[in-house]
Structures are given as structure tokens and as C-alpha cells.
Amino acid sequence: MERKRLQLLEEEDKQKKKIARMGFNASSLLQKSKLGFLNNTSYCRLAHELRVSCMQRKKVQIHSSDPSALANDRFNLILADTNSDRLFTVNDVRVGGSKYGIISLRGLKIPTLRVHMHENLYFTNRKVNSVCWASLNHLDSHVLLCLLGIAETPGCATLLPASLFVNSHPGDRPGMLCSFRIPGAWSCAWSLNVQANNSFSTGLSRWVLVTNVVTGHRLSFGTSSDVLAQQFAVMAPLLFNGCRSGEIFAIDLRCRNQGKGCKATRLFHDSAVTSVHILREEQCLMASDMAGTIKLWDLRTAKCIRQYEGHVNEYAHLPLHVHEEEGIVVAVGQDCYTRIWSLHDAQLLRTIPSPHPTSRTNIPSVAFSSRLGGSQGASGLLMAVQQDLYCFSYS
């Protein structure tokens, strides 16, 4: 395994362009477009795929007020906000526990690739089960964390104001963190749906809990399994849930009896579902599971319409990244390889080895965008592993 990883890294360094499809290059794309064989949508999608196959790895310089911490603290996860201006980070501290930070991506410009880490004194010795951005005061004003209970301390969901790290929004004042006693939460999601305004959901063992942050009002829905993944729809009044049993179901947020009749859609995987992602038009949903299966489902017919091969997972709770604008799907496997597929035909476009040796504690965390750091920033993939951050940029 290690020999294969080193061989692939050497090939990546030597090979300037990695072509995913035979006869797939810039000149052939342009020629087909001129001859009318490709419409504008297809041309843009294939151009994105070509750029993905040509991405090159470069190390990002991270600046911080505490350089010694950067050298010792390992990245556990990174999570980009909606506009890809910031990364929320969870770092494992050498003495035990975790601390949080926000990396501003404004300086992520080719060729320098410099970013700044904004840290805070908040520190926890509890495991972070799930994280998402939350839009309470404005878009992505807070971060929602689900923390596992330990000893006499129960589990909780914590809303952490981003202004505690860096004030990037005019008129923001440093806020206070707000915690809700929610034991054993496996997953969380923030709602942008008018049916659940100012609310978040947590997936528990055999329960789904929807909490209104402003009023404190709660709705609870019983399930038959642990809820490991969640996402709210925006247009339809639905909350989608992925379970350890392999079931995916939607809860109708207008339902107030909180019984089994609230399930609006039901889909099934053969293994525990670790990630669900609703596509923009809300007619399709993508899900991945602990057997390494990635499926695209048609929500109107409840049928699988596409499957993405090559993902490796046996037991880990791994995320799935879907980017409709670029037409790609990204997932990091338990083997520490990052794989990129075409969203539209499930073609595997790129397999990226980790720059560090493969192990359970070295699984990279990634973020992908065509506008990292804003419209003038670099486009491509960010990969955090151990103490390092890498950018696989494309033009």
C-alpha cells in the first residue's frame, strides 16, 4: 500500500497533465465546440473536468499568532463556508482534546498561496461528532458543533459565533457561544427552510430533534436507527436523514404529530449511510455509505439512477462533497486516497494519493471550490492532513 502511494506521488510530480479520458484535451474540446458537437453547458462541464485532471499539488503557507501550535496540532477536519472565504478547522492538540480555528482564504492567490489562521482559546476534551455552518444573524454567522459527552459531562450542540475568531462581517459584535443539552448526537444540519426558520436538527440514536434557537421550541421524531447524516431541503419542507440501518428518509416539517406518518420519502442502502446531499433542483439526492457505495437517487421515482465506483470505506464516518457548478463529486476514502468523479456520468476523473503515509489517523479532510477565497482566489481542491494544508489548483 505504501509503495503504491509513493509511486503515485512520484508520477504526479513528474506528469504535468493527467488526462482522465482518451482524446480528452483542450484543443479537441474547442474544436468540437466550434463544430457544434457540444452545447455551451456540455463544453463548460467538460472544461471543468479537464482542469480537474490537470491540478497540481502545492503546499499552502499558514500564518498564525502562535507558530508553535501550527507545528504540533494536527488537522482533524476542515469545512468551507458557503462562499469559500473561510475554513472552520478542528485541530487535535498534542496534550489531548481539540481546539478550533478559522482560516481566512482571502490570501489564497497563485503563486504565493498564503493564508492566515485565526484562533481562539476555546478548547474541548470531547470528541466532535459533527460540524456545519449556521446562518443565524447572517449567512454563515455561526458554526454548529455536536460534542460527545464524557464522564459526568453530557453531550451537547454548541453554536459558536464566527466573530469570536475573526470579524469579517460589518456590524458584527463578538457573540457568546450558546449550548443545548443534546446527548449522543451523531449528526447535525442547519435549516435555511422557512418551515424551520432559525432552527437546527440533530440526529440521535433513534431520534431526530429539531430545535429553534430563538424560542427554544423542539420537535422530536422517532426513528428505528441511529441518524448519521442530515440535510434540510430549501424549497420543499423536508429534512433528509441517513441512518445506520441503511435507510434514507425525509421528514415533512409541516407534520406535527411526530409519528411514522411524517416520513415523506424512503430509500435504502445496504450499509450505514454516512452522507446525504440534496442537489440544487431538489429532484435528486446523493448518498454514500460504510460499504464504499455512492449512489445518485431520483427522489420522484425513488430509484438509483447512477452509481460511482472506486470509493473505499468499511466502517468510517466519511463525508461526501458534491459540486454541481463544476459537475464533480469528491470523496476521501478510508485508504486516504481522494477520488474525483464526473457528477453527470460517474466517470472517475482523478485519484489523488495522500502526501503523508496512510493510516487511520491520517485520513485527509478536503474542500473544493471554483472560487477559494473569493472571485480572485485560487480554484481547486484544499487538502488538510497532519499539520499541513495543500492546494491542488487549476486555472
Side-chain angles (χ1 to χ4, degrees):
M1 180 73 75
E2 181 62 11
R3 182 181 298 177
K4 178 185 175 183
R5 185 189 71 84
L6 292 173
Q7 183 180 348
L8 284 174
L9 279 176
E10 185 178 354
E11 290 175 2
E12 292 237 337
D13 291 337
K14 288 180 179 179
Q15 193 171 343
K16 296 298 182 185
K17 293 186 178 181
K18 299 177 71 66
I19 304 304
R21 307 174 191 259
M22 293 296 293
F24 188 48
N25 54 58
S27 58
S28 67
L29 277 185
L30 190 58
Q31 185 69 16
K32 289 178 181 178
S33 178
K34 287 181 176 178
L35 293 174
F37 295 138
L38 292 174
N39 59 31
N40 186 58
T41 302
S42 298
Y43 174 79
C44 291
R45 174 171 58 83
L46 291 171
H48 275 303
E49 289 187 16
L50 181 61
R51 287 184 290 220
V52 164
S53 67
C54 299
M55 294 188 305
Q56 296 293 300
R57 183 183 77 252
K58 293 182 180 179
K59 193 171 181 178
V60 178
Q61 298 179 41
I62 306 175
H63 294 271
S64 170
S65 57
D66 186 5
S68 62
L70 292 177
N72 296 318
D73 302 342
R74 300 159 55 96
F75 283 107
N76 183 301
L77 67 85
I78 59 174
L79 182 67
D81 65 4
T82 304
N83 294 325
S84 301
D85 292 329
R86 300 166 295 172
L87 292 178
F88 179 75
T89 70
V90 178
N91 293 72
D92 293 333
V93 183
R94 177 174 288 184
V95 296
S98 300
K99 70 176 185 180
Y100 315 130
I102 286 182
I103 293 178
S104 172
L105 299 179
R106 292 292 185 181
L108 194 69
K109 295 180 174 63
I110 298 173
T112 54
L113 296 179
R114 294 191 185 98
V115 297
H116 189 86
M117 167 78 85
H118 300 273
E119 296 174 309
N120 198 286
L121 296 177
Y122 283 104
F123 176 88
T124 180
N125 59 353
R126 292 186 284 175
K127 180 184 176 184
V128 179
N129 263 359
S130 185
V131 181
C132 69
W133 285 91
S135 302
L136 181 58
N137 299 337
H138 52 78
L139 183 66
D140 298 335
S141 61
H142 290 66
V143 178
L144 177 65
L145 302 105
C146 288
L147 302 177
L148 196 64
I150 183 172
E152 301 297 320
T153 307
C156 68
T158 298
L159 267 176
L160 201 61
S163 57
L164 288 174
F165 300 88
V166 55
N167 197 341
S168 59
H169 196 273
D172 255 4
R173 296 180 180 178
M176 297 292 291
L177 67 81
C178 181
S179 290
F180 300 84
R181 184 170 176 171
I182 301 176
W186 292 102
S187 57
C188 63
W190 182 263
S191 173
L192 294 176
N193 195 298
V194 294
Q195 293 289 339
N197 199 29
N198 295 324
S199 298
F200 67 89
S201 177
T202 43
L204 314 176
S205 296
R206 302 181 181 273
W207 286 97
V208 171
L209 197 61
V210 179
T211 304
N212 187 300
V213 174
V214 177
T215 65
H217 180 68
R218 287 182 173 178
L219 290 174
S220 58
F221 302 88
T223 71
S224 58
S225 180
D226 301 338
V227 179
L228 305 183
Q230 296 184 300
Q231 188 182 4
F232 285 91
V234 176
M235 295 183 288
L238 300 173
L239 168 62
F240 285 86
N241 304 270
C243 298
R244 192 181 297 277
S245 64
E247 181 185 11
I248 301 169
F249 66 91
I251 293 173
D252 190 330
L253 297 171
R254 297 166 298 185
C255 183
R256 290 295 181 263
N257 63 20
Q258 306 175 36
K260 292 183 179 180
C262 292
K263 290 187 177 183
T265 303
R266 298 183 75 187
L267 311 168
F268 294 92
H269 277 233
D270 294 328
S271 183
V273 175
T274 60
S275 184
V276 292
H277 184 95
I278 309 163
L279 270 61
R280 191 178 300 154
E281 298 298 322
E282 300 188 359
Q283 295 178 349
C284 294
L285 176 141
M286 185 167 282
S288 60
D289 63 34
M290 286 191 186
T293 303
I294 301 175
K295 290 183 177 182
L296 180 65
W297 294 89
D298 188 325
L299 294 174
R300 296 162 296 184
T301 62
K303 292 183 178 179
C304 174
I305 55 177
R306 203 165 294 135
Q307 190 160 327
Y308 301 76
E309 305 291 343
H311 184 46
V312 176
N313 192 9
E314 295 178 355
Y315 57 79
H317 198 165
L318 300 175
L320 181 67
H321 309 271
V322 182
H323 304 273
E324 292 185 70
E325 183 181 349
E326 295 85 0
I328 64 167
V329 179
V330 182
V332 181
Q334 209 172 327
D335 57 356
C336 297
Y337 286 86
T338 301
R339 294 174 175 86
I340 305 176
W341 296 264
S342 166
L343 172 63
H344 303 280
D345 61 11
Q347 173 84 22
L348 181 61
L349 303 175
R350 185 82 183 266
T351 300
I352 302 174
S354 172
H356 290 271
T358 301
S359 75
R360 293 181 183 180
T361 58
N362 279 352
I363 297 177
S365 181
V366 301
F368 189 97
S369 176
S370 59
R371 53 185 185 277
L372 292 169
S375 58
Q376 301 301 314
S379 300
L381 177 81
L382 284 176
M383 176 188 292
V385 57
Q386 288 197 4
Q387 291 87 7
D388 298 325
L389 184 64
Y390 299 90
C391 182
F392 294 76
S393 60
Y394 64 86
S395 59

